[in-house]
Amino acid sequence: MRRLISPALATAVCLTVASLILPAAAAPKAKAHAKPAAAEKQSTAVRGGPTYATRDDAMQFADEVAARRKLDPEWVRATIGGARMLTNVPRLMLPAPKGTPKNWHAYRARFIDPVRIAAGVRFWRNNAETLARAENEFGVPAEIIVGIIGVETIYGRNMGSFRVIDALSTLSFDFPQAHPRAAERQAFFREELESFLSTESRTHEDPMRPLGSYAGAMGMPQFMPSSLAKYAVDYDGDGRIDLVNNTVDVIGSVANYFKAFGWKRGMPSTFPVQFDEARLQKATLLAPDIVPTFGADSFVAAGAVLDAQAASFKGLLALIELQNGGDAPTYVAGTQNFYVITRYNWSSYYAMSVLDLGREVKAAMEQ
């Protein structure tokens, strides 16, 4: 997806998300849509301003979606019209002020701790057979899948308490214009809202019930609606996709996502790297950001020092810089598989947290 969004900062109210339990095949068209429930009957997790029923831009968008997707116009209008503007969400989307120092060590500490590691061990033990199956079929190691689910929701403990319809509508119609990429990000959330409405219409569930993060990400793996539609799989073959309660479907869906974005079986995600300061062309190595660009030979020619395994690596590499506030940055050489992890969340800090959590859980398992 995209882009996927960062781990939910929502409060830890883990409720069943009815419409994340999807039929594996399209539902019968003869079944009537579930009517959106009245706003006053919704979860107490909903906090916000007025509904979008009186907003001309929201109702115009509803009509456009209905026409594009061939949905019931009244149902789409009622659904968007019943969404509430979440007054605290727009500010959560603003980037940190310029000059705010990044700190990899502090970031890492948020996700690699005894509680999350212990929960990861339990998750791995309880789902060892499915994780092994997914690794065999998709080529994605168990520790990567375990790392993702642990960073995102602590294995289902923190799946978010915002109504998805409220979050997506707020970011579609009231995205903060102070954001440097406001137009692009608002367009993205409108696409996600449209995808959510399309799925809700197909499954005939109440669109007011699903809960997720403040950005509309859902379930244990925090899939955005478009990712849910494209990559979620019925991995246990029971005829439905459940990313809230069914860890088999969750594991299969995460593995399928990574495979779809180009995960390479058996390829390391990172290699250690040091520098020959006399030859170092750090600006050249950092210019492509995290996109793998350099062969091992050109990487070394620009002043990087690699171990034997990395030096013989046949794929492309990127220099990954993780800043540590006022201390010296941390550097690794990232491969295509490191880049794939950032397709889940566009952050090298996030990707390193996933890798480190998976490694820590695996080490604890082996002990």
Side-chain angles (χ1 to χ4, degrees):
M1 304 140 269
R2 101 180 230 33
R3 20 109 170 136
L4 281 187
I5 299 295
S6 58
L9 300 179
T11 53
V13 182
C14 299
L15 303 177
T16 298
V17 183
S19 67
L20 282 187
I21 303 176
L22 306 177
K29 293 184 179 179
K31 185 176 178 181
H33 287 304
K35 294 181 179 179
E40 62 269 22
K41 295 181 181 180
Q42 299 311 304
S43 165
T44 55
V46 176
R47 293 289 183 270
T51 68
Y52 284 97
T54 59
R55 286 276 295 269
D56 291 341
D57 56 341
M59 292 300 96
Q60 180 180 344
F61 179 77
D63 291 340
E64 292 170 355
V65 169
R68 263 195 307 270
R69 298 276 184 158
K70 297 181 171 54
L71 304 179
D72 178 356
E74 293 186 5
W75 178 84
V76 179
R77 275 180 160 257
T79 301
I80 293 180
R84 288 190 176 276
M85 193 273 185
L86 300 177
T87 56
N88 60 328
V89 163
R91 65 178 176 81
L92 295 175
M93 303 305 296
L94 292 173
K98 289 185 178 180
T100 302
K102 296 180 179 179
N103 191 317
W104 159 236
H105 294 312
Y107 186 97
R108 184 185 188 279
R110 292 169 51 197
F111 300 107
I112 291 81
D113 58 36
V115 171
R116 214 174 292 245
I117 292 169
V121 169
R122 289 192 297 271
F123 182 87
W124 195 326
R125 287 175 176 164
N126 291 338
N127 298 280
E129 183 177 345
T130 303
L131 287 164
R133 175 187 161 207
E135 183 168 348
N136 181 60
E137 294 181 3
F138 295 98
V140 183
E143 61 263 33
I144 298 298
I145 300 172
V146 169
I148 284 285
I149 302 169
V151 167
E152 288 293 340
T153 62
I154 317 181
Y155 309 100
R157 187 177 302 180
N158 296 343
M159 290 187 284
S161 59
F162 293 83
R163 285 199 317 187
V164 172
I165 187 64
D166 294 336
L168 293 177
S169 295
T170 297
L171 296 172
S172 293
F173 308 118
D174 287 292
F175 194 89
Q177 295 306 298
H179 193 286
R181 296 162 55 209
E184 176 186 348
R185 302 304 294 153
Q186 185 169 28
F188 163 76
F189 283 107
R190 289 193 176 196
E191 291 172 0
E192 293 300 328
L193 176 57
E194 182 169 335
S195 180
F196 176 75
L197 291 167
S198 179
T199 296
E200 295 303 291
S201 176
R202 178 171 61 84
T203 59
H204 307 289
E205 298 287 350
D206 184 349
M208 299 305 193
R209 289 186 62 191
L211 302 179
S213 76
Y214 66 81
M218 301 174 281
M220 285 190 207
Q222 292 290 275
F223 272 16
M224 293 296 288
S226 62
S227 289
L228 185 68
K230 294 175 184 176
Y231 308 115
V233 296
D234 173 22
Y235 203 46
D236 66 354
D238 68 350
R240 62 180 190 169
I241 299 170
D242 180 357
L243 298 188
V244 175
N245 302 301
N246 189 330
T247 56
V248 177
D249 287 355
V250 170
I251 290 167
S253 297
V254 172
N256 186 52
Y257 182 92
F258 274 94
K259 182 178 180 180
F261 277 84
W263 183 271
K264 303 298 183 184
R265 184 187 300 269
M267 176 184 287
S269 298
T270 63
F271 293 109
V273 62
Q274 296 180 345
F275 301 119
D276 179 348
E277 297 293 341
R279 298 183 297 109
L280 181 59
Q281 302 172 42
K282 187 179 290 185
T284 299
L285 292 172
L286 290 174
D289 196 15
I290 60 176
V291 179
T293 304
F294 303 95
D297 290 344
S298 59
F299 207 61
V300 170
V305 177
L306 301 174
D307 62 18
Q309 183 185 12
S312 62
F313 180 64
K314 301 305 181 184
L316 298 178
L317 299 171
L319 180 62
I320 309 301
E321 181 182 69
L322 304 167
Q323 297 176 19
N324 289 310
D327 297 332
T330 298
Y331 293 96
V332 296
T335 70
Q336 169 67 19
N337 280 355
F338 183 89
Y339 185 75
V340 170
I341 299 174
T342 67
R343 301 309 86 192
Y344 207 101
N345 182 306
W346 291 358
S347 164
S348 55
Y349 296 78
Y350 173 90
M352 283 299 298
S353 292
V354 168
L355 290 170
D356 280 4
L357 178 60
R359 289 167 184 152
E360 293 286 349
V361 173
K362 184 177 182 179
M365 286 279 295
E366 293 172 349
Q367 292 175 1

